[in-house]
Amino acid sequence: MPTLAIVDFNIVCATLGGFVTLFGLVSYLCKEKYYLSEALISLVAGLIFSPHATNLIRPEHYALGDPEVLGTITLYFSRLVLGVQLVLAGVQLPSKYLKTEWKGLALLLGPGMTIMWLVTSLLIFAFVPHINFLQALAVGACVTPTDPVLSNSIVKGRFADKNIPKDLQNIIIAESGANDGLGYPFLFLPLYLIQHIGYGGAGQDHSTANAIGAWFGETWGYTIILSVIYGAVVGWIAKELLHWAEKKNYVDKESFLVFAIALALFIVGTVGMIGSDDVLACFIAGNTFTWDDWFRLETMDDSFQPTIDMLLNVSIFIWFGAVCPWAKFANNSVIPIYRLIFLGILVLLLRRPPIVFSMHKWIHQIEQPRQAIYVGFFGPIGVSAIFYLYITLEFLRGIQVDGQIRPDAEFLMEVVTVVVWFLVICSVIIHGLSIPMGKLGFWLPRNLSRMISSRRDDSPEPFHVANIEDETEDDGRGLRRRPGAGGLVDTLPQHVRRIGRTVIHRSRDSSQSGPPIPMSNNSKPPSDSGDHEQPPLDEEYKTA
């Protein structure tokens, strides 16, 4: 007997499928007409579907009420999306891009990321009560990398094609891809120091040497260098294998197009198993995979990869909207809501724009100051920040005394959760609305100015509709002039038309054929003699 099966799987499939279907119907209007990012729309949809509203998506229920399980799900989902995004980001770059453009990237990834980290940490230290600077450095490191998922909204689409030079798009893609993986050193330096020397009681060895040794050995050696080597080797082998299979006609079109995404899944899984930096490995593998530009050019006009990219972006931000701790922004024990708001504003204004503007003269892709302001402002905080947030929480849970999480680690867990989530929400909203608000700010004053100027007293009157019975006088050229607002105004006979400054004579002999005869204003029309059919006397003509 048929029964209702209102279970979680069916609800999630119906909700996600229904939203993607409805959004697809107006996606062009939203993204290309109003320049709204799909991340912002999906985040709002996730909030609507969450337990805070309709309760169609229930993350805590799926995790059986365990916050640690929920964090693990979010971490793995973020890893998956970042892995695919970064392989595709590496594939988008031109041939040998990391080799030819290393100087500009080195500035953005070296001094640029360092200043972004320190400025953000100082702001967090200033606004969060009872936090020390070492803890602020850990929180600031989570939001230092720019996000490749949100960056797509400013380097793809009609707005980017019309307003952003291709070189500038490429440097944004390359930076957002590389700095995601390079966030590990900024994060684990303060975390190792907190673990070893950051607490006054038990549960640490008070050894700075152990902290620095772990940072160099585990973070730089095992995490960064190993992932770069692994990604380069796997990307090169994949490129050679695909070349060979394509020459032998062993690979079909569908498998060819999905190859980069399958490569991303393989790297996320294998690098995850050895505990290295799968995010950085994916970006390096993607760039190595298209080192000769062959795969990028072959798939340039294909829509399969952008389609998968869009589905992942929509899904992850719906999940973020549902899993975000919205209530904690107003009710938490670490920072008042008004401080959070000021912190979000200042981080977006001071974290990135000043350092990018000060370095833009040495980065040849950023040619003008307004481009530097643009690149500086659009350094979004998104999926990568959530990824590092849950990496931090996982690490802090391991800092224990007598089987309990150490008090300073527990305090930092609450701070990093509230602050990072709030900064991500701020970035998604502000960066998602910046382009449409900027377009509105440019369009509205211009159109108001046009409306006001069109009503000035000295503006020309609209065209007049005249009747040949109006009072007129002959000007000697076969044309007539009548009194008007600015003096005498030309009034044409029935067989003559004026277009602009050109007079066109219409033949009155119905047997004649051919186009009208154009005449200058100084020319006389043909003689008015001869039999012809006069148009009605009440026919009206427009005069220029």
Side-chain angles (χ1 to χ4, degrees):
M1 180 177 179
T3 58
L4 291 176
I6 307 177
V7 297
D8 290 335
F9 177 77
N10 294 338
I11 293 173
V12 169
C13 288
T15 302
L16 182 60
F19 171 75
V20 173
T21 301
L22 293 176
F23 175 66
L25 296 176
V26 294
S27 58
Y28 182 85
L29 183 67
C30 293
K31 295 192 292 185
E32 304 296 345
K33 185 71 174 177
Y34 299 116
Y35 303 105
L36 293 170
S37 71
E38 59 194 22
L40 174 60
I41 298 172
S42 302
L43 183 74
V44 174
L47 174 59
I48 294 172
F49 300 146
S50 73
H52 303 283
T54 59
N55 199 30
L56 294 174
I57 297 180
R58 298 169 285 179
E60 293 184 358
H61 179 70
Y62 309 148
L64 303 178
D66 188 343
E68 188 172 345
V69 174
L70 181 60
T72 302
I73 295 172
T74 307
L75 173 61
Y76 289 166
F77 197 2
S78 302
R79 281 181 57 199
L80 173 64
V81 174
L82 285 175
V84 174
Q85 282 279 1
L86 292 177
V87 167
L88 296 181
V91 168
Q92 291 176 36
L93 296 175
S95 175
K96 302 179 178 64
Y97 190 85
L98 296 183
K99 178 181 178 181
T100 57
E101 304 295 342
W102 67 271
K103 292 183 179 179
L105 277 175
L107 285 174
L108 292 172
L109 299 176
M113 285 190 71
T114 303
I115 297 300
M116 288 164 61
W117 175 45
L118 294 175
V119 168
T120 307
S121 301
L122 285 170
L123 290 172
I124 293 170
F125 179 67
F127 279 89
V128 179
H130 312 301
I131 194 173
N132 61 49
F133 188 63
L134 200 57
Q135 294 170 332
L137 287 173
V139 180
C142 293
V143 297
T144 295
T146 56
D147 186 60
V149 180
L150 290 176
S151 294
N152 280 339
S153 63
I154 62 170
V155 297
K156 291 182 180 180
R158 189 160 62 97
F159 178 83
D161 294 338
K162 290 174 59 178
N163 298 280
I164 307 176
K166 192 62 180 178
D167 288 345
L168 202 60
Q169 294 181 32
N170 289 334
I171 196 71
I172 293 173
I173 293 172
E175 184 206 3
S176 64
N179 67 15
D180 271 7
L182 292 176
Y184 272 90
F186 297 96
L187 176 63
F188 277 92
L189 177 60
L191 286 182
Y192 282 132
L193 290 173
I194 290 170
Q195 181 184 31
H196 289 277
I197 65 172
Y199 185 58
Q204 57 186 4
D205 54 17
H206 303 282
S207 174
T208 305
N210 288 341
I212 299 300
W215 184 62
F216 275 108
E218 295 183 21
T219 303
W220 280 104
Y222 192 79
T223 304
I224 300 298
I225 297 176
L226 178 61
S227 66
V228 170
I229 295 173
Y230 184 86
V233 171
V234 171
W236 183 83
I237 293 175
K239 173 177 69 72
E240 294 299 320
L241 288 175
L242 189 60
H243 264 298
W244 173 79
E246 198 272 338
K247 288 179 181 178
K248 297 288 185 179
N249 291 325
Y250 289 166
V251 58
D252 62 7
K253 181 180 179 181
E254 290 76 14
S255 300
F256 184 86
L257 296 176
V258 81
F259 200 86
I261 296 173
L263 179 64
L265 298 177
F266 175 78
I267 293 174
V268 168
T270 53
V271 177
M273 285 189 287
I274 63 176
S276 190
D277 186 353
D278 51 351
V279 174
L280 182 58
C282 283
F283 176 72
I284 297 297
N287 194 257
T288 307
F289 180 62
T290 187
W291 195 254
D292 57 0
D293 234 11
W294 171 67
F295 186 81
R296 183 180 72 89
L297 296 176
E298 289 289 327
T299 58
M300 182 176 293
D301 298 325
D302 172 61
S303 61
F304 177 75
Q305 294 177 8
T307 301
I308 298 298
D309 177 40
M310 185 272 291
L311 287 174
L312 288 175
N313 293 351
V314 168
S315 301
I316 190 69
F317 280 99
I318 287 179
W319 178 259
F320 283 173
V323 79
C324 176
W326 299 95
K328 282 192 174 182
F329 298 152
N331 300 302
N332 64 82
S333 60
V334 293
I335 178 172
I337 182 62
Y338 72 91
R339 285 178 176 251
L340 267 179
I341 294 173
F342 281 111
L343 175 62
I345 295 172
L346 291 177
V347 165
L348 293 181
L349 291 178
L350 302 178
R351 159 181 166 264
R352 180 176 167 86
I355 182 60
V356 173
F357 187 83
S358 64
M359 295 191 306
H360 82 276
K361 294 182 180 179
W362 294 278
I363 303 174
H364 71 86
Q365 292 92 344
I366 307 176
E367 299 176 350
Q368 304 172 5
R370 64 178 181 177
Q371 292 179 350
I373 296 173
Y374 181 85
V375 175
F377 179 73
F378 282 100
I381 304 169
V383 180
S384 57
I386 301 301
F387 169 77
Y388 282 114
L389 163 64
Y390 286 99
I391 290 288
T392 303
L393 295 178
E394 188 177 31
F395 183 89
L396 292 174
R397 288 192 191 99
I399 304 178
Q400 298 185 354
V401 177
D402 299 329
Q404 299 293 325
I405 300 176
R406 217 168 64 187
D408 63 325
E410 190 172 12
F411 168 76
L412 182 56
M413 288 174 66
E414 186 172 4
V415 171
V416 73
T417 300
V418 174
V419 171
V420 172
W421 267 115
F422 186 80
L423 293 178
V424 168
I425 299 302
C426 285
S427 181
V428 173
I429 294 174
I430 298 300
H431 290 118
L433 293 177
S434 292
I435 294 176
M437 293 301 293
K439 297 287 286 186
L440 180 64
F442 174 77
W443 175 86
L444 191 59
R446 183 179 60 177
N447 282 271
L448 287 175
S449 176
R450 287 178 178 177
M451 292 173 61
I452 294 172
S453 63
S454 66
R455 297 176 180 178
R456 294 182 307 177
D457 293 336
D458 59 346
S459 61
E461 293 184 1
F463 65 85
H464 297 277
V465 179
N467 188 282
I468 61 170
E469 295 180 344
D470 291 344
E471 181 183 358
T472 60
E473 61 181 62
D474 199 324
D475 69 345
R477 295 183 298 161
L479 305 180
R480 299 178 181 273
R481 299 176 69 83
R482 64 175 176 80
L488 292 178
V489 180
D490 286 344
T491 302
L492 305 180
Q494 292 85 349
H495 60 280
V496 178
R497 299 288 187 273
R498 180 192 296 277
I499 300 178
R501 298 182 59 84
T502 303
V503 176
I504 299 179
H505 170 254
R506 183 183 63 190
S507 174
R508 291 166 295 177
D509 187 355
S510 60
S511 63
Q512 292 179 352
S513 61
I517 304 173
M519 302 173 57
S520 68
N521 283 347
N522 296 325
S523 302
K524 292 185 178 181
S527 172
D528 203 23
S529 64
D531 296 330
H532 60 276
E533 181 180 354
Q534 291 285 357
L537 290 180
D538 60 349
E539 182 178 355
E540 297 177 346
Y541 296 94
K542 298 177 182 179
T543 61

